Amino acid sequence: MKTSWIPILATLLLGTSMSAAADPAHLVKDINTGLDPFDPSSGTGSLGYTPVGGRVVFFGFLREGDPDLNQLRCGLWVTDGTAGGTERLADPCGDVLNFNDSKLRMLATTGAVAFFADFQGRLWRTDGTAAGTFPLRGIEVGGEPFDPPVIGPDGRTLFFSGCNPLSGCEPWRSDGTIAGTRRLRDVQPGAASSFPNGFTVDGDRVLFAAGAGLWSTDGTSAGTVRLVQTSGGVRKPVPEGGLIYFISSTRTDDVWVFDPASRTARKLKSFPTDFFRVGAVLREAAGRVLIEQYDSEQGRLSLWEAVGQRIRPIGPPFTFHSGLDAFFAVGGRVVFPANGGLSVLDAGSTRPRPIAGGCPGGCPTVDGGAPGTRALFAGRLFFAGHDAQHGVELWSSDGTAAGTRLVEDLCPGACDGKPSKLRVIGDHLVFLDAAGGFWSSDGTGPGTLRLAPSLVPAEPLPVDAAGLGDGRVVFSGVDATDGRQPWVSDRTPGGTHPIAVLGGTLAASSQPSFLFPFGARVLFTACDGTTQAVWTSDGSEAGTFPLPGTDQPCDPASAFPGFQPAGGLVFFIWKGRLWRTDATPGGTLPLLDLAGNADSDQGAAAGDKLLFPFPPPAFPPSNDGWTWEFWTSDGTLQGTREAFQLRLGGSPASFTSAGGEVLFIAASPQAPYPPEIWASDGTAAGTHVILSGSGLLLDAVRLGGRTYFLAAARSVGPELWSTDGTAAGTAPVLPAIDGPRPRNPFSLVVFQNALYFYAEMGDPSHPTRGLWRSDGTAAGTVLVKALDLPRYDEAGHVLPPLLTPVGDQLFFRADDGVHGPELWKTDGTAAGTVLVRDVNPGPQGSRLADLTTAGGRLYFGATDGEHGYELWQSDGTAAGTTLVQDIQPGLASSNPDQLVGADGILYFTANDGEHGREPWALPLPR
């Protein structure tokens, strides 16, 4: 539970902004009590703990709503190991809803400065302070996580593959300043890319591969030179003994050597590559350059060695499953897993010897195909080994049989400890066990301690840890209350504990969904942990209850009721039946068993009755469609009956009420089965086609006795249409096909006796978007203002404007390229189309969503950068656009969602961090 003074203090601080409401928002009812167990499959991957200036920086993710909807707020954080010393430095994810967290990663640290990539892969730096955390020239870091940038020989300059649209991906450098972040050389001139990779420090220079060449740089443009040009792509170089070895790939993998003294290059050997053979891979260990070639068909690896200007074989092929951490230098020897155990290549030897006997207590077997189960520490190789007495446990070796021994039986008895993710941090080895427990070892049995057990059964998460300057270590711990959080340890079990809780607890949520206003109440679905039902609420705990007979096992996949109002009742489909309710227990009853043959989103009000389709029991092959029954209901058993039948070529859809009629779309039963828009008053005589050839029916609204909608029935694509309910009275608002016109209109609403919508214009390949107004005529359809919309992903797909009329103001979401996605309004003129307030100052945007009218005001969800994503309100002025309530105090978010107004109350769902996502209510000022 949160400390009790935090909500009180937040209320005092926000008193001014909350004064517009009669009372603060309150939790209506904690429908699903208790806690949900932590699910590692919904985690956020590595937090990237990185030491900087005696502290640790990391990416922290705050839970916001449903993890399945990717509702996570990320930030760059810093900690000194205390709650008070843990703070958020920056937002590297911005306003994109579905950010690519594979690009969000730590790159390298100098100790004083850490470099990282944001959600778009752009380079940032941080020194552990907010002022010292900023992006570096907007350049994107190329390459993959397994081919990272490197810190150069000066200990402060990052060398990396930098990408931008003008010069492609080329070699770059950065000293952590904007001026010192620059391209080294345009290897492939123009927008083409050389794709530099394999950055490797060699003395006072950095080697790298780019294009079909081997390059060297001293960090200056003039000092960035090509050493060797080959005919194939070059891979990461390996410097050793004054020579540089590398592989150039064409149809074969060719091993080359470059002699810097003579500036000559020589191809030493070609290795074939085909479906079974992986070609050649260079490795370096104990001052030796090894070349491995893996044969997947045989499951065997051949080993070679580059010695000066020649290549020699190393022993016979052996059984080996390749891993990135395969060869280790131990006491001047090369130790590696082979043939199910450890093998040793002594100095000068060309024949490996197995460690198969003479180990104290017996020699272990070793799995060669498990990277992360081995690490060099304190001059020894630590690894996961197996013997019959102990199972898979922690072993170490100095490269001799006598020096190969069990370190600690992590799980005594018949179970396996299975140490994994071994990493060296400072003067200790850290790793995970089979249950996800976090261990630290000084290399001895007594000094091998489990610091934090996993409190949930799960596969081990990757070790994600870094050392503080005082010897303590920061890592990711997991418990059943707060999920994955940053922990700190002084390397004793008693000195190991969480640092701070980022986000709320794992409190169980009832996932209230589909909030639907009805009179003074609201309808919704919810799950109490066992039973799912249709609930109703008047905003009080006593007045919040499930409707009788609607209980069923919790199943979110089948929980869409499709609430439809008609004749003073609400109809919905639940448990395979059509229901009606007046939001009281006595007024709720099932009307018709649908036998699984109707969808809950099919149907709409025709006058005071519900019109809905009933599909045929089967769909045998047919050239002239199938017969659909159309039913109506007045909310009584007797008044629920078939009204007429239609022969259709496919399922009717997009049922929309307009002017006492229902519009819907369905395929014609006649080949080639064109889509048709129908209008119906609920009777056979009053049901007819009004438009043929339209594959689209959206946003039907009423204005001046006519119905306007969006449809695509002509070669110009979607456009604005109007109808009087007859085919003859149905026509496009802009009849001429040629000439400028709003393209692909969407989000049609009525405001001040006119139609408003968003549409594209300009070059179709690079369209601009803007707000349009129409009086229903071609001449009266004009652009109000060109104004772009926010993007919701990296592909450039846009978010809808959320046009929302409130009195004499039309609010919407837009992005002018300066303030980011923020709240705008219009009075219908270009001059009156203005930014209301830059809620989150700067270009990052406030994540504005869920614009809703209630009580004569606008309510919405947003973040100002100082609080999480919370409930806001606006009267159309900057001063009157304020935070209503910080429901989950601090940077964490309550993530208000599904806002609806009903008779003086704003209903919504939120997560206060203590109760999970549950229904909330805000009494509105009278």
Side-chain angles (χ1 to χ4, degrees):
M1 300 291 287
K2 286 185 168 58
T3 307
S4 60
W5 58 264
I6 295 179
I8 298 172
L9 178 60
T11 301
L12 293 174
L13 293 175
L14 298 171
T16 301
S17 65
M18 296 192 313
S19 61
D23 294 296
H26 62 271
L27 175 70
V28 174
K29 185 181 181 70
D30 188 7
I31 294 174
N32 190 4
T33 58
L35 295 172
D36 283 333
F38 173 70
D39 178 8
S41 67
S42 63
T44 56
S46 171
L47 301 186
Y49 296 104
T50 303
V52 174
R55 298 191 294 171
V56 170
V57 294
F58 61 97
F59 299 121
F61 295 83
L62 305 182
R63 287 182 296 277
E64 297 184 355
D66 188 349
D68 294 337
L69 299 179
N70 211 12
Q71 292 173 336
L72 295 165
R73 185 182 185 199
C74 81
L76 180 73
W77 295 69
V78 66
T79 185
D80 63 1
T82 68
T86 302
E87 60 178 315
R88 183 172 176 268
L89 299 176
D91 178 7
C93 294
D95 194 50
V96 172
L97 299 186
N98 297 311
F99 60 83
N100 184 353
D101 59 1
S102 67
K103 293 186 177 181
L104 183 71
R105 65 190 193 276
M106 291 291 176
L107 300 172
T109 181
T110 68
V113 172
F115 296 90
F116 64 95
D118 67 12
F119 80 102
Q120 289 183 325
R122 297 171 302 191
L123 181 66
W124 286 56
R125 61 92 74 183
T126 182
D127 61 2
T129 68
T133 303
F134 50 84
L136 295 169
R137 300 189 60 180
I139 194 73
E140 182 176 346
V141 181
E144 300 293 337
F146 56 78
D147 182 27
V150 299
I151 300 296
D154 64 358
R156 63 177 184 272
T157 303
L158 183 78
F159 292 82
F160 64 101
S161 172
C163 307
N164 65 31
L166 296 179
S167 62
C169 295
E170 298 294 348
W172 281 65
R173 56 148 285 167
S174 177
D175 62 3
T177 68
I178 294 176
T181 302
R182 58 181 182 268
R183 188 180 64 199
L184 291 170
R185 188 76 174 264
D186 194 2
V187 176
Q188 232 13 304
S193 298
S194 68
F195 298 110
N197 65 90
F199 290 92
T200 304
V201 176
D202 181 23
D204 60 354
R205 302 179 68 85
V206 173
L207 305 174
F208 63 94
L214 173 67
W215 290 72
S216 170
T217 182
D218 62 1
T220 68
S221 179
T224 302
V225 295
R226 183 166 51 205
L227 303 179
V228 183
Q229 176 71 44
T230 69
S231 58
V234 174
R235 300 207 298 269
K236 182 173 182 173
V238 175
E240 184 58 48
L243 301 175
I244 302 171
Y245 299 89
F246 64 94
I247 291 176
S248 175
S249 297
T250 52
R251 294 183 178 179
T252 58
D253 277 358
D254 304 325
V255 178
W256 288 70
V257 62
F258 175 75
D259 184 351
S262 63
R263 301 192 64 80
T264 59
R266 177 185 173 194
K267 183 167 66 174
L268 301 181
K269 184 176 177 60
S270 295
F271 289 85
T273 60
D274 53 35
F275 183 78
F276 297 109
R277 285 171 290 192
V278 179
V281 178
L282 288 179
R283 307 287 190 200
E284 188 280 330
R288 304 178 71 164
V289 178
L290 303 175
I291 306 156
E292 62 177 69
Q293 183 182 41
Y294 182 64
D295 188 322
S296 60
E297 183 180 35
Q298 299 288 331
R300 297 176 72 79
L301 182 139
S302 297
L303 194 61
W304 306 72
E305 182 179 13
V307 181
Q309 299 280 344
R310 64 189 180 91
I311 290 180
R312 63 183 182 183
I314 299 294
F318 51 87
T319 302
F320 179 85
H321 299 285
S322 181
L324 296 178
D325 55 358
F327 298 93
F328 297 88
V330 182
R333 313 174 184 92
V334 178
V335 181
F336 58 96
N339 298 326
L342 288 181
S343 285
V344 178
L345 188 61
D346 292 310
S349 173
T350 61
R351 193 169 189 86
R353 58 175 175 82
I355 299 178
C359 306
C363 296
T365 61
V366 180
D367 180 6
T373 58
R374 301 173 288 270
L376 279 177
F377 173 60
R380 299 176 63 85
L381 176 65
F382 286 74
F383 61 95
H386 174 271
D387 68 7
Q389 180 180 356
H390 303 94
V392 182
E393 300 295 347
L394 182 66
W395 289 68
S396 75
S397 176
D398 63 358
T400 68
T404 301
R405 58 179 180 262
L406 177 71
V407 177
E408 182 67 10
D409 190 355
L410 309 178
C411 188
C415 60
D416 291 325
K418 289 186 177 180
S420 64
K421 320 299 183 186
L422 276 66
R423 280 189 58 191
V424 178
I425 297 180
D427 57 357
H428 278 69
L429 180 73
V430 298
F431 57 92
L432 300 178
D433 63 20
F438 184 76
W439 291 70
S440 176
S441 176
D442 63 3
T444 69
T448 301
L449 303 173
R450 186 174 67 168
L451 302 180
S454 173
L455 301 185
V456 293
E459 289 296 315
L461 295 167
V463 162
D464 198 12
L468 291 164
D470 57 7
R472 293 178 298 161
V473 62
V474 175
F475 66 98
S476 290
V478 176
D479 64 44
T481 301
D482 300 315
R484 195 176 187 200
Q485 296 288 346
W487 287 46
V488 66
S489 176
D490 63 2
R491 304 185 190 275
T492 68
T496 302
H497 56 82
I499 298 173
V501 177
L502 307 186
T505 66
L506 294 173
S509 168
S510 69
Q511 291 297 338
S513 304
F514 315 109
L515 270 65
F516 186 83
F518 182 61
R521 303 184 68 86
V522 66
L523 299 168
F524 59 95
T525 66
C527 172
D528 63 7
T530 304
T531 301
Q532 188 174 42
V534 177
W535 287 64
T536 182
S537 176
D538 63 359
S540 69
E541 183 172 6
T544 303
F545 50 82
L547 294 175
T550 63
D551 55 298
Q552 66 177 13
C554 293
D555 181 9
S558 62
F560 180 42
F563 294 119
Q564 294 285 356
L569 299 170
V570 175
F571 296 82
F572 60 95
I573 291 178
W574 196 253
K575 298 170 64 174
R577 293 182 288 181
L578 175 69
W579 292 67
R580 57 72 57 98
T581 186
D582 60 4
T584 69
T588 302
L589 70 154
L591 299 173
L592 180 66
D593 188 349
L594 302 173
N597 289 326
D599 294 331
S600 54
D601 61 345
Q602 292 187 334
D608 59 357
K609 295 182 180 181
L610 179 74
L611 173 68
F612 61 97
F614 207 104
F619 292 87
S622 173
N623 293 324
D624 61 352
W626 301 270
T627 298
W628 287 69
E629 298 175 359
F630 282 74
W631 287 55
T632 58
S633 177
D634 61 2
T636 67
L637 293 172
Q638 300 81 5
T640 303
R641 55 181 179 266
E642 181 184 327
F644 57 89
Q645 296 183 351
L646 290 179
R647 194 77 176 171
L648 301 174
S651 301
S654 301
F655 284 75
T656 308
S657 296
E661 292 188 323
V662 173
L663 302 184
F664 62 92
I665 190 169
S668 166
Q670 305 300 321
Y673 315 109
E676 299 171 326
I677 295 179
W678 292 70
S680 176
D681 64 0
T683 67
T687 302
H688 47 269
V689 174
I690 62 170
L691 181 61
S692 296
S694 174
L696 182 71
L697 171 60
L698 295 174
D699 298 341
V701 298
R702 293 286 290 178
L703 178 65
R706 294 184 66 85
T707 298
Y708 293 84
F709 58 94
L710 303 178
R714 304 193 299 174
S715 59
V716 293
E719 53 184 333
L720 181 63
W721 289 71
S722 76
T723 184
D724 61 2
T726 68
T730 303
V733 171
L734 280 73
I737 291 180
D738 299 330
R741 61 170 43 241
R743 297 192 312 273
N744 300 318
F746 56 98
S747 299
L748 181 65
V749 299
V750 174
F751 169 63
Q752 289 189 333
N753 204 35
L755 304 164
Y756 286 79
F757 58 91
Y758 245 79
E760 298 174 353
M761 57 270 192
D763 182 0
S765 62
H766 297 87
T768 57
R769 295 176 180 85
L771 179 67
W772 290 71
R773 182 184 70 246
S774 177
D775 61 3
T777 69
T781 302
V782 296
L783 175 68
V784 176
K785 188 181 183 73
L787 191 59
D788 207 356
L789 294 174
R791 270 69 170 165
Y792 71 83
D793 64 12
E794 296 176 70
H797 298 107
V798 299
L799 289 164
L802 305 177
L803 299 170
T804 307
V806 182
D808 59 358
Q809 302 176 101
L810 177 63
F811 293 92
F812 61 101
R813 172 174 59 187
D815 185 350
D816 63 0
V818 177
H819 302 91
E822 290 290 356
L823 181 65
W824 287 67
K825 70 173 184 177
T826 186
D827 60 4
T829 68
T833 303
V834 296
L835 176 71
V836 176
R837 176 180 169 180
D838 191 6
V839 173
N840 190 9
Q844 64 269 29
S846 62
R847 298 178 56 205
L848 186 78
D850 289 300
L851 275 63
T852 303
T853 303
R857 299 176 69 84
L858 179 75
Y859 292 89
F860 56 94
T863 176
D864 60 3
E866 297 180 6
H867 307 85
Y869 186 87
E870 298 291 350
L871 182 65
W872 283 67
Q873 63 183 352
S874 179
D875 62 2
T877 68
T881 302
T882 57
L883 176 68
V884 174
Q885 192 167 325
D886 193 9
I887 293 173
Q888 189 168 163
L891 286 170
S893 300
S894 69
N895 202 38
D897 193 18
Q898 304 180 73
L899 282 61
V900 297
D903 194 32
I905 295 178
L906 178 73
Y907 293 92
F908 58 99
T909 72
N911 184 345
D912 64 359
E914 298 181 5
H915 301 92
R917 180 159 294 277
E918 298 292 350
W920 282 65
L922 173 71
L924 301 176
R926 297 291 183 176

